[in-house]
């Protein structure tokens, strides 16, 4: 067995960046290949905030097999799930089951941020279920995160296929216990959860009648889409607002590099960017900035939000306003610091910033990125405002082996779920999937942006960001968002109608919803 | 870890009953619940004969991950596959790949007995690939059958999902190496291999464009079909030929039981049935007879064959002729011995019979039946000529735990692959599967006998037996069999045509086959 060190606890909760996953990675690998990409990824997969949710549910636990596809004598584990049956029409009336495919974080956090599902469920008289993804939140094999994340053997079963099987087993058992075998299940998911929802509909059509896969980059593997897509879209988000803003950010990397090479350069940079503790490496600053820009692009919502961080509406516009709002000749570091402060300190209440310096911040997504979720990412010379970076697979392999004693399987996801020729394959196969994407979202480039068939459809909004459609309704929702959600509701209703029609043909059952 | 005893080698090769799997079980469980069901199952999963095949191929080996769905540090293993590219049109012309989903035995044996695939491949200018199923034949993890079959930990990864993933990975790699990514794959399989073919098309539509699933009892799980189906069909096969034959067999069990309870009863029975060694238990005789009747039903082909055993055409007719061909009042044991001798000694060259007396004959299918492939089987009071038996799940659980330290997952296959509402689910999902069945085959009751959609079709022949359509053509093939195969060829051709049309729309590629 690998003699992997016991990981320290992740001191990242304060960043509250749970729901997203992110490329492996630009500057860290350029500057210290195989070194410490973990910090950057780590925070996105860390156990999330358990902040109060506006929705009511019961928390339950379900005993799962750790390995659905093998029969070694492994301990089972308790999967947490949230459930609300308040509005459910019940089994006789074929009340639907709305099932969110939990992704890489605490399920309560996803439940809080997936208002759309909660809001439409009563109109469908649907039960609501939010199962947690194994190895996240409270759903820890081996009783604790410490043990579950200990080494390659304990982490071995943290895979997407096992998570999908968990969902399938849970749904089947839940329905059996409620005599609800005939009740239709509709899947929902955002980001990695959206990938799970789409894959689940494809792999388990007997379990769920359809899936809304929001911002699901199911094609961000191998060479199915160009590796520059992600950073190009982030960069375009800034250039669209202001070319000078884009240029300031693009120039800033060299300026940082220059400073870093001076004596006392790190001290200077620490002070210039207001960190609480002295930077150990300039790479930490790179990552800190890159994170901010990337997340700003994902959370570039049209109204103020508090999803990742408290942010104004159209936050990139605000960042660029700050960056551009200096007299000519102002130091570029000063400019971009003002910009990223919109992200890290919009409330103005932060005195100084923390950079995570956990060199082996083991987190679930790190593991997933080192095993199955191998998503090639580059930063292009011209299209990107980030430092130029060509995807370096062997650096990643090296880092993953050093960190986890594990070898990535870069071709596995496309072998298991497809990727190349996605549209052609599913043109006469499968049905009832919505791929919804907002073009401001950097992940949209790895998703499905054209309808595949009459029933596997793409919904694209020009001004949407990362799974905006799944967020709770607000008074400021623009018309195009209301329209997008209305189309989604209509499509889901169509799936259910078709299902009810087929089912009630044989049995005399009254259709349950009326909208 | 379980302290499971090292299994003895199976002395069953002489029976040559490889390709089939069989219910858990009738009389053994009635008479000695939890006792020794293994002998009966054992022989169907044993490594098969490596008899000379009339087809030419190259034997190759491919390094596979033992666990595709997890990342424990396990050794990889070498999967054997047979390949013939002699008639292949090549990648430029999108030459098809005909891929047989290897089932529970030596792949050379399946290759020899799947003449249909070899015979049609040249007409399609197709490559032929016969991959072996993991844990069978030469495709042994841990280097040898002794180690692979040692205990629950080494056997853990003998599952259908892992086998399907092996196929997916192998095809993907094979195509990449030949620059044949765009070449369409068509799956073939019979019996358990047919189940794998159908499931593979459903789970991996991006890997294969269609599947011919011959005699694939994908619905023989839980309560999807009545548990009496198998033995009722076997019994009907005999009743159809002769009611008195059916009655003789039905009466024989009591006669055997009565003899067995006499002093020297086992000696008498040993002599009466011509066993080489004295019967240790009357259960062995029950199994020996049940096997014969069941296999006669499966191999009830319209012409002489040498698949399981050398047999005349319509062997059940011949068995019943023998059984009925005695003066009134002849001892029933004498009658049925004459009958089963058609099965066990058609050549007349066998001096005495062997009963396998390996009490823990570990075999791959035993393991599969004790883990995933939980197929409930009963023997009905009236419809069946076998001793009445109600399926007893807990006996099986007990036996499996005693034998393998493993707990069956009786609901897993339907959760993973579906079962209930099969037709409804796939009515608007999936395409390009042929379920072919002959109604004489006792496994037909657990298969798909009605078309699901325009492209998921059932081909049913009244007089066909177990995957007769896949067997090599013979001069005696009846018209209905020629017609069935012609329809299969036409459907496969249709899948390929559609694929070529879609593909060549973009690229200018000439269609490769002309029939």
């Amino acid at each position: 067995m690998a003699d992997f060190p016991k990981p320290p606890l992740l001191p990242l909760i304060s960043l509250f960046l749970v729901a997203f996953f992110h490329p492996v990675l630009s500057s860290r690998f350029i500057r210290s290949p195989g070194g410490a990409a973990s910090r950057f990824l780590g925070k996105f997969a860390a156990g999330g905030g358990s902040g109060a949710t506006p929705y009511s549910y019961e928390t339950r636990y379900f005993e799962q097999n750790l390995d659905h596809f093998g029969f070694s004598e492994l301990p089972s584990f308790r999967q947490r799930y949230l459930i609300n049956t308040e509005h459910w029409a019940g089994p006789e009336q074929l009340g639907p089951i709305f099932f969110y495919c939990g992704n890489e974080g605490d399920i309560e956090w996803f439940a809080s941020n997936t208002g759309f599902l909660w809001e439409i469920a009563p109109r469908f008289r649907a039960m609501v279920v939010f199962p947690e993804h194994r190895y996240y939140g409270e759903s820890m094999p081996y009783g604790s995160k410490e043990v579950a994340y200990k080494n390659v053997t304990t982490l071995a079963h943290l895979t997407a296929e096992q998570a999908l099987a968990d969902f399938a087993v849970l749904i089947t058992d839940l329905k059996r216990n409620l005599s609800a075998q005939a009740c239709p299940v509709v899947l929902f998911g955002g980001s990695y959860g959206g990938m799970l929802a789409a894959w689940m509909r494809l792999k388990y059509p007997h379990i769920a009648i359809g899936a809304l896969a929001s911002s699901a980059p199911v094609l961000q593997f191998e060479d199915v889409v160009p590796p520059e897509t992600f950073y190009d879209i982030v960069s375009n988000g800034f250039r669209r607002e202001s070319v000078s803003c884009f240029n300031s950010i693009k120039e800033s990397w060299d300026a940082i590099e220059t400073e870093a090479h001076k004596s006392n350069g790190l001290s200077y940079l620490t002070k210039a960017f207001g960190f609480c503790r002295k930077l150990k490496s300039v790479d930490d600053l790179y990552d800190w900035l890159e994170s901010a820009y990337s997340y700003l692009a994902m959370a570039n919502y049209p109204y103020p939000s508090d999803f990742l961080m408290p942010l104004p509406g159209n936050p990139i516009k605000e960042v660029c306003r700050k960056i551009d709002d200096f007299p000519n000749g102002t130091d570029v570091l000063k400019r971009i610091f003002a910009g990223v402060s919109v992200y890290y300190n919009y409330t103005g209440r932060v005195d100084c910033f923390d950079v995570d310096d956990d060199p082996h911040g083991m987190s679930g997504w790190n593991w997933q990125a080192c095993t199955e979720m191998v998503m090639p990412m580059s930063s292009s010379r011209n299209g990107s405002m980030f430092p130029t970076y060509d995807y370096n697979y062997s650096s990643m392999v090296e880092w993953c082996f050093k960190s986890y004693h594990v070898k990535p399987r870069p071709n596995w996801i496309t072998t298991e779920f497809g990727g190349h020729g996605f549209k052609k394959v599913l043109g006469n196969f499968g049905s009832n999937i919505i791929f919804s994407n907002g073009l401001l979202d950097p992940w949209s480039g790895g998703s499905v942006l054209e309808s595949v068939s009459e029933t596997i459809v793409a919904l694209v909004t020009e001004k949407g960001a990362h799974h905006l459609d799944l967020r709770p309704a607000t008074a400021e929702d623009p018309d195009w968002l209301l329209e997008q959600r209305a189309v989604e509701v209509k499509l889901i209703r169509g799936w259910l109608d078709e299902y009810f029609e087929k089912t009630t043909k044989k049995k005399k059952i009254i259709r349950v919803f009326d909208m």
Side-chain angles (χ1 to χ4, degrees), chain A residues 56-58 82-88 118 126-129:
Chain A
S56 69
Y57 47 76
E58 205 186 309
L82 319 179
I83 183 167
N84 178 317
T85 57
E86 199 183 330
H87 301 284
W88 189 43
W118 293 100
M127 183 195 307
V128 171
V129 185

Side-chain angles (χ1 to χ4, degrees), chain A residues 63-67 72-77 141-143:
Chain A
E63 206 71 22
Q64 287 280 9
N65 287 317
L66 187 52
D67 186 1
S72 291
E73 292 174 305
L74 294 163
S76 58
F77 74 98
Y142 304 103

Side-chain angles (χ1 to χ4, degrees), chain A residues 464-485:
Chain A
H466 203 50
H467 53 60
L468 174 58
D469 50 342
L470 294 187
R471 296 194 53 72
T474 73
E476 297 114 306
D477 289 340
D479 285 346
W480 53 262
L481 177 56
L482 298 178
E483 206 178 304
Q484 179 188 16
R485 288 185 181 139

Side-chain angles (χ1 to χ4, degrees), chain A residues 300-320:
Chain A
N300 199 11
Y301 300 135
Y303 51 77
S305 67
D306 191 2
F307 181 35
L308 305 165
M309 302 284 265
L311 288 177
N314 301 308
I316 291 183
K317 188 189 282 295
E318 185 66 13
V319 169
C320 283

Side-chain angles (χ1 to χ4, degrees), chain A residues 298-352:
Chain A
M298 286 193 246
N300 199 11
Y301 300 135
Y303 51 77
S305 67
D306 191 2
F307 181 35
L308 305 165
M309 302 284 265
L311 288 177
N314 301 308
I316 291 183
K317 188 189 282 295
E318 185 66 13
V319 169
C320 283
R321 207 180 53 74
K322 293 277 188 195
I323 288 178
D324 291 343
D325 192 26
F326 282 95
N328 271 350
T330 307
D331 177 23
V332 70
L333 298 188
K334 197 170 171 186
R335 288 169 185 254
I336 61 157
F337 177 65
V340 294
S341 292
V342 171
Y343 182 72
Y344 285 119
N345 191 16
Y346 185 60
T347 60
R349 286 192 226 122
V350 181
D351 292 331
C352 61

Side-chain angles (χ1 to χ4, degrees), chain A residues 32-278:
Chain A
S32 54
S38 61
R39 197 200 66 77
F40 188 66
L41 279 173
K43 57 189 160 197
F44 314 120
S50 52
T53 158
Y55 311 109
S56 69
Y57 47 76
E58 205 186 309
T59 301
R60 294 192 200 158
Y61 298 86
F62 181 75
E63 206 71 22
Q64 287 280 9
N65 287 317
L66 187 52
D67 186 1
H68 294 286
F69 309 105
F71 286 82
S72 291
E73 292 174 305
L74 294 163
S76 58
F77 74 98
R78 292 200 326 159
Q79 178 177 30
R80 176 165 61 154
Y81 66 101
L82 319 179
I83 183 167
N84 178 317
T85 57
E86 199 183 330
H87 301 284
W88 189 43
E92 288 79 19
Q93 293 194 292
L94 299 180
I97 297 169
F98 283 6
F99 192 93
Y100 182 89
C101 296
N103 31 323
E104 74 286 22
D106 190 294
I107 194 60
E108 292 201 313
W109 192 78
F110 294 114
S112 299
N113 281 283
T114 311
F116 178 64
L117 194 160
W118 293 100
E119 288 158 11
I120 66 168
R123 295 153 68 190
F124 285 96
R125 300 185 62 192
M127 183 195 307
V128 171
V129 185
F130 275 81
E132 193 160 59
H133 192 295
R134 54 168 57 199
Y135 287 85
Y136 294 98
E138 293 186 8
S139 301
M140 284 296 161
Y142 304 103
S144 74
K145 185 166 183 177
E146 281 67 36
V147 183
Y149 278 57
K150 200 168 149 192
N151 57 37
V152 65
T153 303
T154 57
L155 275 165
H157 300 100
L158 168 47
T159 66
E161 303 83 54
Q162 298 281 4
L164 292 177
D166 289 339
F167 296 157
V169 170
L170 172 63
I171 294 174
T172 304
D173 188 82
L174 205 59
K175 288 173 85 168
R176 194 186 297 120
N177 287 339
L178 295 165
S179 304
Q181 285 93 338
C183 293
V185 174
V186 178
L187 304 169
F188 296 77
S191 197
Y192 169 49
M195 296 159 73
L196 293 175
W199 289 338
M200 178 121 188
R201 168 61 184 156
L202 290 175
K203 293 278 192 188
Y204 296 88
H206 50 286
I207 301 270
I209 66 161
L212 169 55
S214 181
S215 300
V218 289
L219 305 181
Q220 192 81 49
F221 296 93
E222 292 183 22
D223 56 351
V224 182
V225 297
E228 302 83 13
T229 310
F230 184 94
Y231 287 118
D232 278 1
I233 297 177
V234 173
S235 304
N236 283 339
F238 287 80
R239 184 159 41 194
R240 188 184 295 112
E241 292 300 341
S242 150
V243 172
S244 64
C245 173
F246 172 95
N247 285 333
S248 295
I249 295 169
K250 198 171 170 70
E251 286 160 21
S252 70
W253 311 107
D254 277 349
I256 291 169
E257 190 77 4
T258 306
E259 283 301 335
H261 278 93
K262 293 180 184 167
S263 61
N264 286 323
L266 284 180
S267 295
Y268 174 82
L269 290 169
T270 300
K271 210 176 152 196
F273 286 92
F275 292 109
C276 307
R277 279 166 298 184
K278 193 187 162 189

Side-chain angles (χ1 to χ4, degrees), chain A residues 360-394:
Chain A
H360 286 288
M362 286 184 83
S363 71
W365 191 261
N366 273 4
W367 165 266
Q368 292 190 257
C370 273
T371 49
E372 300 181 318
M373 299 296 161
V374 181
M375 297 175 160
M377 295 274 175
S378 295
S379 173
S380 63
R381 182 164 301 278
N382 297 316
S384 166
M385 66 186 194
F386 297 97
T388 306
Y389 172 66
D390 286 329
Y391 179 62
N392 187 333
Y393 176 64
S394 50

